Amino acid sequence: MADTQQVDPKAERKAARLAQRIGSFAKAHGGAEGQVAYIGQRGARIVLVGEDGTWGDVVAPTYAIAEQAVRESGITVHESFDGEFAAKVRTGPYEWKRMAGIQLGGPANG
């Protein structure tokens, strides 16, 4: 029996564009690893961590598209953002200032 699963061309193009962005990030940062997280109706967030500790993210409209994008990009994907994977992230002054502002009550205390 033939496979009757239909492919959505729009979803295929979106996954390919996301895979290209992920690949560009990986190339710019000596490689990359990622983690896909469901964020509700908005879709899924792909958190990327480069080999140099730089991090970033992209959002896919669905979890399935996010999974396809990371698969096409060829990066290592983690089940969760903890342990050795999270330890690879390098934060700078901007992130520390933002985190401190949140802890201290926001910009009014900065």
Side-chain angles (χ1 to χ4, degrees):
M1 183 171 245
D3 184 9
T4 59
Q5 181 181 11
Q6 295 193 0
V7 176
D8 179 2
K10 187 175 178 182
E12 292 283 328
R13 287 191 303 273
K14 183 65 176 176
R17 282 194 301 273
L18 287 169
Q20 185 177 26
R21 289 178 63 191
I22 293 166
S24 294
F25 179 90
K27 184 176 180 183
H29 298 286
E33 299 176 41
Q35 189 258 336
V36 179
Y38 177 70
I39 55 174
Q41 290 181 333
R42 294 201 46 146
R45 178 180 186 207
I46 305 166
V47 178
L48 303 167
V49 179
E51 288 300 315
D52 63 359
T54 302
W55 66 278
D57 65 352
V58 293
V59 175
T62 67
Y63 195 86
I65 290 173
E67 286 183 315
Q68 182 177 347
V70 295
R71 194 171 42 251
E72 288 179 17
S73 71
I75 65 169
T76 300
V77 181
H78 296 268
E79 290 293 320
S80 62
F81 195 83
D82 60 3
E84 290 182 35
F85 180 48
K88 292 181 178 186
V89 175
R90 299 291 173 249
T91 55
Y94 172 78
E95 289 86 4
W96 282 104
K97 184 176 180 180
R98 293 276 309 192
M99 287 186 280
I102 291 168
Q103 294 297 320
L104 299 174
N109 291 332

